[in-house]
Amino acid sequence: KPPIIVRDFATALGMKPFKLISELMEMGIFASMNQAIDEPVAIKVGEKHGFQLEIKHRGEAAQQIQQSAKEKAKVKEQAAAEAEVQNLAMRPPVVCILGHVDHGKTSLLDAIRKADVAAGEAGGITQHIGAYQIEHSERKITFLDTPGHAAFTKMRARGADVTDIAVLVVAADDGFMPQTDEALKHAQNAGVTLMVAINKMDVKGANIERVKQQMQERNIAPEDWGGETVTVPVSALKGTGITDLLDMILLQADVLELKANAKTEASGIIIESQIEVGRGPLATVIVQRGTLRVGDSIVCGPNWAKVRAMFDDQGKNIKEAPPSTPVRVIGWSGAPDSGAEFKSVKNAREAENLAEEAEHLIRKNTGTTDAAPKEVSVESLF
Ligand code: GTP
Ligand code: MG
């Protein structure tokens, strides 16, 4: 049987690939555009949209799925799907900032954080973590920091796409540069929503028209040029345009209708991990589905944790983390891999058993699995 590739399947369903990817994510399946999904999954998604799956061999007759098995599965899955749909609730967008070297990604993230009312004046950035969340117009937005971080390389390798919206930073004086194009390509391949922030509007050589021209040449014309790409001029240095940018991110999030079931076992992605003296292994994670709570037992490959404590990006203790929340988790048996998926299980014993099984598997397959790309690049983002 030919594999069911996400991109092709989305086309068959008449959906935008990123929509399908996020729907799969809601089901706990992490697949990128070019990956294959299992047939039962495809059947389920198809049914949700009123389609019956029919896999066609090239040049051969259509192959019908077995009817009886399908009917049985259908009843069960429909019940599960209904429960799932009922529990779906809006979740904050996860936004990644990318662009050419020195175009102001880090400065922009700093400016955004400064604009965060929730952060107050506690004294700026308390500690660096790979992800943080701000509040704007009484809504939350999650930002991924340090793009190009090794963590994201593995994420891409595993096909786990945590990003909903990519903000491409282009310096108004430089315009598009090689890494801008590289980043653009990856954002497009990943099927995420693209926005452009034209930064350094305060500098002398700033030429916004040229940047827009360059966008047009790349088929991502800005909205005011009749295109679809939301484009916001900003100055990270002066802090201008930041509110507009945040408003536009929320607007895009509305269009995407980002939803997740908060009332189920938590699962998500490891952003980064390290070992801290006195606290042991510590991991920054993003919860994608369900709610993670202190006391939960989670497993991530050969590592597991009984969540001893959780901290937000301000270092504050928190008890629970709903979807799209970045949190630092302590209580791990070892440092989990960045980019790996974690999930909540029944109890510590089950977590430990699953971790042991994973460990055995890794030992058995040493050298054949986990061949993540070594080089850090923009690719890392998706
Ligand atoms: P890399 O992480 O090295 O890829 O760079 P980056 O994209 O994170 O850029 P960064 O924020 O470090 O900014 C690079 C330089 O541009 C710094 O000297 C900033 O002060 C400066 N800069 C960033 N934003 C602005 C801006 O809006 N206006 C002006 N005038 N300078 C800016
Ligand atoms: Mg930087």
Side-chain angles (χ1 to χ4, degrees):
K1 265 184 207 172
I4 306 166
I5 306 298
V6 170
R7 186 198 304 269
D8 303 338
F9 189 45
T11 311
L13 292 176
M15 291 170 81
K16 286 250 168 81
F18 72 81
K19 265 280 201 195
L20 177 58
I21 289 170
S22 71
E23 254 179 47
L24 289 168
M25 215 180 264
E26 300 293 352
M27 296 164 67
I29 294 148
F30 304 100
S32 62
M33 294 270 274
N34 300 316
Q35 279 182 326
I37 53 170
D38 293 338
E39 195 175 316
V41 174
I43 292 171
K44 198 163 150 183
V45 175
E47 274 172 357
K48 209 167 112 193
H49 293 274
F51 290 95
Q52 256 195 14
L53 188 74
E54 204 180 284
I55 299 176
K56 286 190 179 157
H57 288 269
R58 212 162 283 167
E60 280 177 29
Q63 186 188 331
Q64 205 73 36
I65 352 167
Q66 223 187 329
Q67 208 58 37
S68 67
K70 199 188 134 231
E71 285 302 325
K72 238 192 275 169
K74 196 174 165 179
V75 176
K76 216 171 112 193
E77 277 162 10
Q78 230 160 28
E82 268 163 31
E84 178 76 30
V85 166
Q86 270 175 14
N87 284 330
L88 282 183
M90 294 292 279
R91 64 170 177 84
V94 179
V95 182
C96 200
I97 310 266
L98 55 159
H100 193 73
V101 149
D102 272 356
H103 278 198
K105 301 177 290 294
T106 303
S107 304
L108 188 59
L109 280 160
D110 287 348
I112 288 167
R113 206 159 189 199
K114 263 188 236 149
D116 177 17
V117 272
E121 56 215 271
I125 294 152
T126 42
Q127 58 199 146
H128 166 80
I129 78 163
Y132 68 75
Q133 196 172 56
I134 64 146
E135 227 174 274
H136 180 70
S137 299
E138 286 165 34
R139 287 170 64 185
K140 295 187 159 96
I141 308 174
T142 300
F143 284 95
L144 292 188
D145 203 351
T146 48
H149 190 282
F152 296 96
T153 312
K154 282 193 187 161
M155 254 183 227
R156 178 173 162 81
R158 285 162 210 252
D161 177 7
V162 282
T163 306
D164 301 306
I165 298 170
V167 174
L168 189 63
V169 177
V170 186
D173 51 349
D174 266 1
F176 274 69
M177 297 293 275
Q179 282 172 31
T180 322
D181 280 321
E182 200 185 318
L184 171 62
K185 203 175 71 205
H186 289 304
Q188 286 175 328
N189 284 342
V192 302
T193 296
L194 181 81
M195 287 175 56
V196 171
I198 306 182
N199 189 32
K200 306 201 186 185
M201 286 304 295
D202 60 290
V203 301
K204 249 216 182 106
N207 188 346
I208 188 168
E209 295 307 309
R210 183 173 64 133
V211 175
K212 289 185 174 176
Q213 174 72 43
Q214 290 172 326
M215 287 172 66
Q216 173 131 324
E217 284 159 18
R218 286 160 176 79
N219 286 321
I220 50 160
E223 279 184 314
D224 57 338
W225 281 39
E228 285 177 1
T229 311
V230 173
T231 308
V232 188
V234 298
S235 164
L237 197 74
K238 300 258 176 321
T240 50
I242 305 298
T243 308
D244 287 344
L245 181 64
L246 297 176
D247 286 343
M248 293 320 268
I249 287 171
L250 288 177
L251 213 64
Q252 290 294 300
D254 287 339
V255 172
L256 292 173
E257 290 185 65
L258 304 168
K259 288 184 179 150
N261 180 0
K263 294 179 187 160
T264 184
E265 299 78 33
S267 60
I269 298 290
I270 311 290
I271 300 293
E272 58 188 12
S273 67
Q274 65 264 69
I275 309 227
E276 252 183 38
V277 183
R279 290 213 274 196
L282 193 149
T284 302
V285 312
I286 287 196
V287 177
Q288 294 187 295
R289 197 165 172 271
T291 298
L292 184 64
R293 295 186 172 84
V294 170
D296 281 358
S297 297
I298 56 181
V299 62
C300 177
N303 297 296
W304 68 279
K306 172 127 179 121
V307 179
R308 191 143 38 91
M310 296 194 295
F311 308 95
D312 67 8
D313 51 86
Q314 313 271 327
K316 263 197 306 236
N317 251 295
I318 57 170
K319 290 270 177 278
E320 47 177 50
S324 293
T325 313
V327 274
R328 308 183 96 193
V329 173
I330 58 171
W332 291 93
S333 61
D337 276 358
S338 1
E341 192 186 348
F342 73 87
K343 63 172 198 232
S344 193
V345 295
K346 247 194 334 245
N347 52 38
R349 191 194 298 169
E350 193 181 335
E352 189 168 9
N353 285 342
L354 285 169
E356 254 168 38
E357 270 172 38
E359 173 88 55
H360 277 304
L361 224 76
I362 291 167
R363 287 241 181 88
K364 238 172 53 190
N365 300 333
T366 304
T368 60
T369 57
D370 219 5
K374 294 204 172 42
E375 213 160 285
V376 174
S377 72
V378 193
E379 210 166 305
S380 39
L381 290 173
F382 304 103

Short mmCIF file of all heavy atoms in Angstrom, two decimals, residues 149-182:
data_model
loop_
_atom_site.label_atom_id
_atom_site.label_comp_id
_atom_site.label_asym_id
_atom_site.label_seq_id
_atom_site.Cartn_x
_atom_site.Cartn_y
_atom_site.Cartn_z
N HIS A 149 18.51 27.08 18.05
CA HIS A 149 18.95 26.29 19.18
C HIS A 149 18.92 24.81 18.80
O HIS A 149 18.05 24.38 18.07
CB HIS A 149 17.97 26.55 20.33
CG HIS A 149 18.41 25.99 21.62
ND1 HIS A 149 18.29 24.67 21.90
CD2 HIS A 149 18.97 26.57 22.70
CE1 HIS A 149 18.77 24.45 23.11
NE2 HIS A 149 19.18 25.60 23.62
N ALA A 150 19.87 24.10 19.31
CA ALA A 150 19.98 22.68 18.98
C ALA A 150 18.68 21.93 19.23
O ALA A 150 18.34 20.99 18.53
CB ALA A 150 21.11 22.05 19.78
N ALA A 151 17.94 22.39 20.23
CA ALA A 151 16.69 21.73 20.58
C ALA A 151 15.78 21.58 19.37
O ALA A 151 15.17 20.54 19.17
CB ALA A 151 15.96 22.55 21.63
N PHE A 152 15.74 22.63 18.57
CA PHE A 152 14.78 22.63 17.49
C PHE A 152 15.20 21.74 16.32
O PHE A 152 14.38 21.30 15.55
CB PHE A 152 14.54 24.06 17.02
CG PHE A 152 13.93 24.89 18.08
CD1 PHE A 152 14.71 25.68 18.89
CD2 PHE A 152 12.57 24.84 18.31
CE1 PHE A 152 14.15 26.43 19.90
CE2 PHE A 152 12.01 25.58 19.32
CZ PHE A 152 12.80 26.38 20.12
N THR A 153 16.49 21.50 16.23
CA THR A 153 16.95 20.62 15.17
C THR A 153 16.34 19.25 15.35
O THR A 153 15.82 18.64 14.44
CB THR A 153 18.49 20.50 15.21
OG1 THR A 153 19.01 21.81 15.31
CG2 THR A 153 19.01 19.83 13.98
N LYS A 154 16.39 18.79 16.59
CA LYS A 154 15.83 17.47 16.87
C LYS A 154 14.33 17.48 16.69
O LYS A 154 13.73 16.52 16.27
CB LYS A 154 16.19 17.05 18.28
CG LYS A 154 17.62 16.56 18.35
CD LYS A 154 17.87 15.85 19.64
CE LYS A 154 19.35 15.53 19.78
NZ LYS A 154 19.71 15.26 21.16
N MET A 155 13.74 18.60 17.05
CA MET A 155 12.29 18.70 16.90
C MET A 155 11.89 18.46 15.47
O MET A 155 10.94 17.78 15.19
CB MET A 155 11.85 20.10 17.27
CG MET A 155 11.18 20.14 18.58
SD MET A 155 10.65 21.79 18.84
CE MET A 155 11.23 21.95 20.47
N ARG A 156 12.64 19.04 14.57
CA ARG A 156 12.33 18.86 13.16
C ARG A 156 12.56 17.42 12.77
O ARG A 156 11.75 16.82 12.08
CB ARG A 156 13.19 19.78 12.30
CG ARG A 156 12.91 19.57 10.84
CD ARG A 156 13.64 20.61 10.02
NE ARG A 156 13.73 20.18 8.64
CZ ARG A 156 12.75 20.31 7.77
NH1 ARG A 156 11.60 20.82 8.15
NH2 ARG A 156 12.91 19.91 6.53
N ALA A 157 13.66 16.88 13.27
CA ALA A 157 13.98 15.50 12.94
C ALA A 157 12.84 14.58 13.35
O ALA A 157 12.54 13.60 12.70
CB ALA A 157 15.27 15.09 13.62
N ARG A 158 12.21 14.88 14.42
CA ARG A 158 11.12 14.03 14.90
C ARG A 158 9.77 14.43 14.33
O ARG A 158 8.75 13.87 14.67
CB ARG A 158 11.05 14.08 16.42
CG ARG A 158 12.16 13.28 17.04
CD ARG A 158 12.34 13.70 18.47
NE ARG A 158 13.73 13.51 18.86
CZ ARG A 158 14.12 12.55 19.67
NH1 ARG A 158 13.26 11.73 20.17
NH2 ARG A 158 15.39 12.43 19.97
N GLY A 159 9.78 15.47 13.55
CA GLY A 159 8.54 15.88 12.90
C GLY A 159 7.57 16.52 13.86
O GLY A 159 6.38 16.64 13.60
N ALA A 160 8.04 16.93 15.00
CA ALA A 160 7.13 17.52 15.97
C ALA A 160 7.16 19.03 15.79
O ALA A 160 8.10 19.70 16.15
CB ALA A 160 7.57 17.16 17.36
N ASP A 161 6.13 19.53 15.24
CA ASP A 161 6.10 20.95 14.93
C ASP A 161 5.31 21.67 16.01
O ASP A 161 4.12 21.52 16.12
CB ASP A 161 5.45 21.12 13.57
CG ASP A 161 5.31 22.57 13.18
OD1 ASP A 161 5.83 23.44 13.89
OD2 ASP A 161 4.66 22.83 12.18
N VAL A 162 6.00 22.44 16.82
CA VAL A 162 5.30 23.14 17.90
C VAL A 162 4.86 24.54 17.50
O VAL A 162 4.09 25.16 18.20
CB VAL A 162 6.14 23.29 19.18
CG1 VAL A 162 6.16 22.01 19.95
CG2 VAL A 162 7.53 23.78 18.89
N THR A 163 5.37 25.01 16.37
CA THR A 163 5.12 26.40 15.99
C THR A 163 3.81 26.56 15.23
O THR A 163 3.52 25.81 14.32
CB THR A 163 6.28 26.91 15.11
OG1 THR A 163 7.49 26.68 15.80
CG2 THR A 163 6.13 28.37 14.80
N ASP A 164 3.03 27.56 15.63
CA ASP A 164 1.80 27.89 14.89
C ASP A 164 2.06 29.03 13.92
O ASP A 164 1.56 29.04 12.81
CB ASP A 164 0.69 28.34 15.84
CG ASP A 164 0.35 27.29 16.86
OD1 ASP A 164 0.06 26.15 16.45
OD2 ASP A 164 0.38 27.60 18.07
N ILE A 165 2.81 30.01 14.41
CA ILE A 165 3.04 31.23 13.63
C ILE A 165 4.53 31.53 13.62
O ILE A 165 5.18 31.51 14.66
CB ILE A 165 2.29 32.43 14.25
CG1 ILE A 165 0.77 32.17 14.23
CG2 ILE A 165 2.63 33.73 13.52
CD1 ILE A 165 -0.03 33.19 15.03
N ALA A 166 5.06 31.80 12.43
CA ALA A 166 6.46 32.20 12.32
C ALA A 166 6.51 33.68 11.99
O ALA A 166 5.85 34.13 11.05
CB ALA A 166 7.16 31.39 11.24
N VAL A 167 7.25 34.43 12.79
CA VAL A 167 7.45 35.85 12.49
C VAL A 167 8.84 36.00 11.88
O VAL A 167 9.85 35.75 12.53
CB VAL A 167 7.33 36.72 13.76
CG1 VAL A 167 7.69 38.17 13.44
CG2 VAL A 167 5.92 36.64 14.33
N LEU A 168 8.86 36.37 10.61
CA LEU A 168 10.12 36.55 9.90
C LEU A 168 10.58 37.99 10.11
O LEU A 168 9.90 38.93 9.72
CB LEU A 168 9.91 36.26 8.42
CG LEU A 168 11.14 36.17 7.52
CD1 LEU A 168 12.04 35.02 7.93
CD2 LEU A 168 10.72 36.00 6.06
N VAL A 169 11.73 38.14 10.75
CA VAL A 169 12.27 39.48 11.01
C VAL A 169 13.17 39.89 9.85
O VAL A 169 14.09 39.16 9.49
CB VAL A 169 13.07 39.50 12.33
CG1 VAL A 169 13.68 40.88 12.57
CG2 VAL A 169 12.18 39.11 13.50
N VAL A 170 12.87 41.04 9.26
CA VAL A 170 13.70 41.55 8.17
C VAL A 170 14.12 42.98 8.54
O VAL A 170 13.27 43.83 8.77
CB VAL A 170 12.93 41.59 6.83
CG1 VAL A 170 13.87 41.98 5.69
CG2 VAL A 170 12.25 40.26 6.53
N ALA A 171 15.43 43.22 8.59
CA ALA A 171 15.89 44.56 8.92
C ALA A 171 15.60 45.49 7.75
O ALA A 171 15.89 45.17 6.59
CB ALA A 171 17.39 44.54 9.23
N ALA A 172 15.01 46.64 8.07
CA ALA A 172 14.57 47.57 7.02
C ALA A 172 15.73 48.14 6.22
O ALA A 172 15.55 48.53 5.06
CB ALA A 172 13.78 48.71 7.66
N ASP A 173 16.92 48.16 6.80
CA ASP A 173 18.06 48.69 6.04
C ASP A 173 18.73 47.64 5.16
O ASP A 173 19.20 47.94 4.07
CB ASP A 173 19.09 49.34 6.99
CG ASP A 173 19.49 48.42 8.15
OD1 ASP A 173 18.84 47.37 8.34
OD2 ASP A 173 20.45 48.76 8.86
N ASP A 174 18.72 46.41 5.62
CA ASP A 174 19.37 45.32 4.88
C ASP A 174 18.46 44.64 3.86
O ASP A 174 18.91 44.19 2.83
CB ASP A 174 19.81 44.23 5.87
CG ASP A 174 21.24 44.40 6.32
OD1 ASP A 174 21.86 45.38 5.89
OD2 ASP A 174 21.71 43.56 7.10
N GLY A 175 17.20 44.53 4.21
CA GLY A 175 16.28 43.79 3.38
C GLY A 175 16.53 42.28 3.48
O GLY A 175 17.18 41.82 4.42
N PHE A 176 16.00 41.55 2.53
CA PHE A 176 16.14 40.09 2.55
C PHE A 176 17.60 39.68 2.37
O PHE A 176 18.29 40.20 1.51
CB PHE A 176 15.29 39.45 1.45
CG PHE A 176 13.87 39.21 1.88
CD1 PHE A 176 13.01 40.27 2.08
CD2 PHE A 176 13.39 37.91 2.09
CE1 PHE A 176 11.70 40.05 2.49
CE2 PHE A 176 12.09 37.69 2.50
CZ PHE A 176 11.24 38.76 2.70
N MET A 177 18.03 38.75 3.21
CA MET A 177 19.39 38.23 3.14
C MET A 177 19.30 36.71 3.03
O MET A 177 18.22 36.14 3.21
CB MET A 177 20.15 38.64 4.41
CG MET A 177 20.31 40.15 4.57
SD MET A 177 21.37 40.89 3.33
CE MET A 177 22.97 40.62 4.08
N PRO A 178 20.44 36.04 2.76
CA PRO A 178 20.37 34.58 2.55
C PRO A 178 19.62 33.82 3.65
O PRO A 178 18.79 32.96 3.36
CB PRO A 178 21.83 34.18 2.51
CG PRO A 178 22.55 35.39 2.03
CD PRO A 178 21.77 36.57 2.53
N GLN A 179 19.90 34.16 4.91
CA GLN A 179 19.22 33.42 5.98
C GLN A 179 17.75 33.78 6.11
O GLN A 179 16.97 33.01 6.66
CB GLN A 179 19.92 33.64 7.31
CG GLN A 179 21.19 32.81 7.43
CD GLN A 179 21.97 33.18 8.67
OE1 GLN A 179 21.38 33.57 9.68
NE2 GLN A 179 23.27 33.07 8.61
N THR A 180 17.40 34.96 5.61
CA THR A 180 15.97 35.31 5.61
C THR A 180 15.25 34.35 4.67
O THR A 180 14.19 33.81 4.99
CB THR A 180 15.75 36.75 5.11
OG1 THR A 180 16.78 37.61 5.59
CG2 THR A 180 14.40 37.27 5.54
N ASP A 181 15.86 34.15 3.51
CA ASP A 181 15.25 33.26 2.53
C ASP A 181 15.21 31.82 3.01
O ASP A 181 14.23 31.11 2.80
CB ASP A 181 16.01 33.35 1.19
CG ASP A 181 15.59 34.58 0.39
OD1 ASP A 181 14.38 34.89 0.40
OD2 ASP A 181 16.46 35.23 -0.22
N GLU A 182 16.28 31.44 3.68
CA GLU A 182 16.34 30.08 4.21
C GLU A 182 15.22 29.87 5.23
O GLU A 182 14.49 28.87 5.19
CB GLU A 182 17.69 29.88 4.88
CG GLU A 182 18.10 28.44 5.06
CD GLU A 182 19.39 28.34 5.85
OE1 GLU A 182 20.31 29.16 5.57
OE2 GLU A 182 19.47 27.50 6.74
#
